[in-house]
Amino acid sequence: MLTQLALAALLVGGLPAALPATESVDGPPVAAAVATDQPTDAPGTGDAFDEIPLVVPAVSDAGVVKAPRSVPQDAVTADTVMNGDRVVTKTIEAADYQTVGITWAPGADAAVDNLDPSVRWRDDSGAWSAWQPMDAEDSTPDAGTPDAGRAASRGGTDPLWFGDAAALQLSFATDPASSASADLNLVLVGSPDTTAADGTAQTAGTSGAIVQPAVFSTSVVRAAASTDSESPAAVVMAGPAPTMITRAQWGAAAPVCEPDVASQLVGAAVHHTAGSNDYSTVAEAEQQIRNDQRYHIDGRGWCDIGYNFIVDKWGNLYEGRAHSLDSPVIGVHAGGFNTGTVGVAMLGTYDAVPPAATINTVAQIIGWRLAAYDVDPRGTMQYATGVGENSRFQNQTVTLPRVFGHRDVAFTACPGNGGYAALPQIRVSAATYYDARQYAESQSVVKALYTDLLGRGPDATGLTGWTAALLSGTSQSALVTALTHSDEYIALRVTKAYNEVLGRGPDPVGAQAWLTQIRAGLGTVDDVQRRFYDSDEYFATSGGTWPGYVQRLYTTMLHRGGSDAEVSTWVSLVATQGRAWVVDSIWWSREAASIRAGSYYQTFLGRGPDPTGLASWTTVLLTSGEGAVRAGIAGSQEYRARAIARFP
């Protein structure tokens, strides 16, 4: 359970920038958890998250602490003064935590500019670490995004991972001005470092039909992909998909709000997390990422972890912000430049050149994601930015490399001198994924499917989005599924059924009823025609006699006339089984199914069926439905080759 605390660490006295580990200013340890009755959901079993109000009093030039006007009831006072230039807290128990950060009220950055916070930690033997600076996190949400709009969105330092420690102590520069208006919170985050036995992390109505056109969206992509089969459909990606530790594997919590999604990716921003490089196992790296996510969500008030992807010092790739693999999800990594860029962070601090494995993985994920949007990582771009907190540019168009370092656009040292020096190598390596021909071929497939299924060309958003989805591993079959589940396709098929079976256009009430039923999953587009054969209207147009009705069913479903014996048999069965039973029996016969399956060869492949293929797809139709036949034939390599020839 998330616990909101009423514990203040009152900062007094002074401390030199580097305090010898043997010199104690501890006093009694401060318990970091005081439970209240304000629970919220915690993301996983054994997780710990605490926010502790901090009070930093003003200190005169003479080193005299000015007592604050009010201090929470449970305040803890640290009254040791060291050299007059630093104020420190007493020790804070930290056994259940591994990450620390400090946050402040939105818009209070100026009030904390001179605090210069730092932290040190003590291990079980009593030895203290060196003091580590706690720099302000230079990643901010873009204006107008859900991350920026959450009421709890706060400024803050980078989350700092300290690992296994018994206690913490904070230090601040003395300041003649009080920071009370900043509403400071100390944030402590902890999570287990254990994994499950299988190696995965443990976690916690109108008068007429209203038809929406087939519109590309990332939710449509994900829904279609989730129903994709393992049939040999055409899947052509922008190079091999990177091996990745998924969110489920590292134990991510679900996003607390839905981030915005850009129309496309235009570039990539390279970062480092500015934390510790001392993690010694993948489990510790995952723990650090889990804690960073919790800090970003509950400490800073963002929807999810800010980075789209993270790479550790061994070159392992971690899925960051949800859906970054298949969508241009807007992250929080470079204020004013988040939209349309993929943010990749190296886990740790990289003032030295990162390991080769880390550089290679950063290049791989950047190259793979940008190739899906026809972006050459070696190029430059004109980026129109708005107002970005900590941004070097405001409301102007900036010329940037397609792959840039965070320091190129913000007042920050990120991604460290070593990380920044690696950018030329990252660009060259990432470019091995860029293939303009493959991008153009995938566009051809999208154009062909829109033409064959919707009778029109794709809109610009659909063309860009679906091309990127195909190059990111979504199969042609998934695109077929998405388009054939759109209102636009359903309306076309309903209209076709009215015209072909009843010989008239649809009435508004009937069209809306079918659209509503199919949307709800209570029927398919293929059911419309079948049920029309069972209608009184169809019976009447067949002459109103049972022999005439059966003969017309044969003509329309089987494309031949029925023999006298066949007609007689079915007429007698109508009396005992009913009209609907007769319709379904003929419709689901292998002869009728073979005709329907064969028609898709002409629709999608421009040819008649071969005997072997027809037999196979007829079986698929009878066992899995016509939708599986459409997705299979239009998802084939043969269809892809024909699409490329039709739309060069």
Side-chain angles (χ1 to χ4, degrees):
M1 303 298 287
L2 173 62
T3 305
Q4 300 292 334
L5 304 182
L7 175 65
L10 180 61
L11 307 180
V12 299
L15 185 70
L19 183 70
T22 57
E23 186 172 358
S24 174
V25 292
D26 293 354
V30 176
V34 178
T36 70
D37 296 324
Q38 300 177 27
T40 64
D41 291 335
T45 302
D47 289 357
F49 178 88
D50 289 319
E51 287 182 305
I52 307 170
L54 285 175
V55 179
V56 184
V59 180
S60 70
D61 293 338
V64 177
V65 176
K66 301 178 181 178
R69 292 182 179 179
S70 63
V71 176
Q73 182 179 355
D74 297 314
V76 177
T77 302
D79 54 7
T80 302
V81 177
M82 297 293 294
N83 295 347
D85 62 352
R86 304 288 294 180
V87 291
V88 297
T89 67
K90 289 187 177 181
T91 57
I92 300 173
E93 295 293 343
D96 294 331
Y97 312 98
Q98 305 89 33
T99 297
V100 62
I102 297 172
T103 66
W104 47 85
D109 296 54
V112 298
D113 275 349
N114 299 322
L115 287 181
D116 187 28
S118 60
V119 63
R120 65 173 185 164
W121 46 90
R122 188 184 66 198
D123 62 25
D124 290 335
S125 70
W128 285 95
S129 71
W131 288 95
Q132 301 294 324
M134 299 180 70
D135 296 327
E137 188 162 37
D138 38 39
S139 300
T140 57
D142 282 359
T145 61
D147 295 279
R150 286 191 70 205
S153 184
R154 294 168 59 85
T157 66
D158 285 310
L160 183 62
W161 187 81
F162 55 84
D164 186 15
L168 296 176
Q169 192 170 41
L170 300 177
S171 168
F172 296 83
T174 58
D175 192 332
S178 171
S179 61
S181 62
D183 184 24
L184 294 174
N185 279 342
L186 169 65
V187 178
L188 294 171
V189 189
S191 64
D193 64 358
T194 56
T195 55
D198 63 358
T200 60
Q202 299 179 15
T203 66
T206 67
S207 60
I210 300 176
V211 179
Q212 300 295 332
V215 177
F216 173 84
S217 72
T218 55
S219 60
V220 170
V221 176
R222 293 193 289 271
S226 68
T227 61
D228 205 7
S229 69
E230 296 182 0
S231 61
V235 179
V236 180
M237 292 185 290
T243 301
M244 185 174 308
I245 297 173
T246 66
R247 287 172 60 90
Q249 289 171 324
W250 62 258
V256 296
C257 55
E258 188 72 20
D260 282 345
V261 179
S263 60
Q264 61 182 326
L265 290 177
V266 298
V270 177
H271 304 263
H272 67 180
T273 62
S276 172
N277 296 53
D278 292 339
Y279 52 94
S280 58
T281 65
V282 171
E284 287 187 345
E286 292 176 345
Q287 182 184 66
Q288 187 173 163
I289 295 170
R290 284 196 301 275
N291 291 356
D292 286 357
Q293 185 202 29
R294 190 76 188 273
Y295 179 77
H296 286 168
I297 291 175
D298 291 329
R300 300 297 305 278
W302 302 345
C303 294
D304 195 356
I305 192 168
Y307 303 112
N308 299 105
F309 300 96
I310 304 99
V311 181
D312 69 23
K313 63 185 178 183
W314 304 293
N316 295 308
L317 177 63
Y318 301 81
E319 181 185 9
R321 181 159 281 219
H323 306 306
S324 293
L325 269 173
D326 57 19
S327 308
V329 174
I330 299 174
V332 182
H333 55 87
F337 294 84
N338 293 312
T339 302
T341 62
V342 56
V344 182
M346 297 175 287
L347 190 64
T349 299
Y350 288 95
D351 291 325
V353 176
T358 301
I359 294 174
N360 290 339
T361 301
V362 170
Q364 184 183 35
I365 186 59
I366 288 175
W368 192 71
R369 289 301 290 136
L370 293 187
Y373 295 89
D374 198 29
V375 173
D376 187 340
R378 297 164 297 188
T380 58
M381 61 179 171
Q382 299 293 307
Y383 191 102
T385 186
V387 178
E389 188 177 338
N390 196 45
S391 174
R392 293 180 181 273
F393 309 98
Q394 304 286 334
N395 296 315
Q396 62 188 105
T397 298
V398 185
T399 301
L400 288 171
R402 292 285 188 177
V403 180
F404 59 92
H406 191 188
R407 66 172 62 174
D408 289 324
V409 297
F411 296 102
T412 175
C414 180
N417 291 335
Y420 194 79
L423 288 180
Q425 181 180 348
I426 290 172
R427 294 183 187 110
V428 171
S429 297
T432 61
Y433 283 81
Y434 178 66
D435 188 335
R437 177 189 59 81
Q438 192 176 82
Y439 186 86
E441 290 177 352
S442 294
Q443 282 191 316
S444 298
V445 172
V446 176
K447 293 174 182 177
L449 285 173
Y450 267 76
T451 300
D452 293 340
L453 293 171
L454 302 180
R456 65 172 176 88
D459 54 279
T461 300
L463 180 61
T464 299
W466 280 116
T467 300
L470 292 177
L471 288 169
S472 298
T474 300
S475 71
Q476 286 173 208
S477 295
L479 172 50
V480 175
T481 299
L483 292 180
T484 55
H485 280 74
S486 68
D487 281 5
E488 185 176 354
Y489 180 78
I490 294 170
L492 288 170
R493 287 294 305 273
V494 169
T495 299
K496 181 180 179 182
Y498 270 90
N499 287 326
E500 292 186 355
V501 180
L502 302 180
R504 65 173 177 86
D507 59 279
V509 174
Q512 179 64 49
W514 278 111
L515 179 60
T516 300
Q517 183 173 336
I518 295 169
R519 275 177 180 167
L522 301 177
T524 70
V525 291
D526 307 299
D527 292 330
V528 183
Q529 187 172 358
R530 179 165 59 95
R531 292 280 61 90
F532 281 176
Y533 288 134
D534 180 33
S535 68
D536 290 339
E537 185 176 351
Y538 182 80
F539 180 78
T541 58
S542 302
T545 67
W546 291 117
Y549 174 71
V550 171
Q551 192 64 256
R552 192 176 179 204
L553 289 178
Y554 263 70
T555 302
T556 53
M557 287 195 209
L558 303 181
H559 298 180
R560 67 175 178 85
S563 67
D564 291 343
E566 288 173 321
V567 171
S568 177
T569 298
W570 287 115
V571 169
S572 64
L573 287 170
V574 167
T576 59
Q577 303 295 330
R579 188 169 64 193
W581 185 89
V582 171
V583 169
D584 288 349
S585 296
I586 299 174
W587 179 269
W588 292 115
S589 69
R590 190 165 186 88
E591 181 180 355
S594 177
I595 291 171
R596 296 200 304 279
S599 69
Y600 288 112
Y601 273 76
Q602 194 63 50
T603 299
F604 295 126
L605 303 181
R607 66 173 177 86
D610 58 280
T612 302
L614 180 59
S616 296
W617 286 116
T618 299
T619 299
V620 170
L621 188 152
L622 290 172
T623 56
S624 302
E626 281 186 53
V629 178
R630 285 190 292 269
I633 295 177
S636 67
Q637 292 287 357
E638 182 178 351
Y639 183 86
R640 177 181 176 83
R642 183 168 182 258
I644 293 169
R646 292 166 63 199
F647 297 94

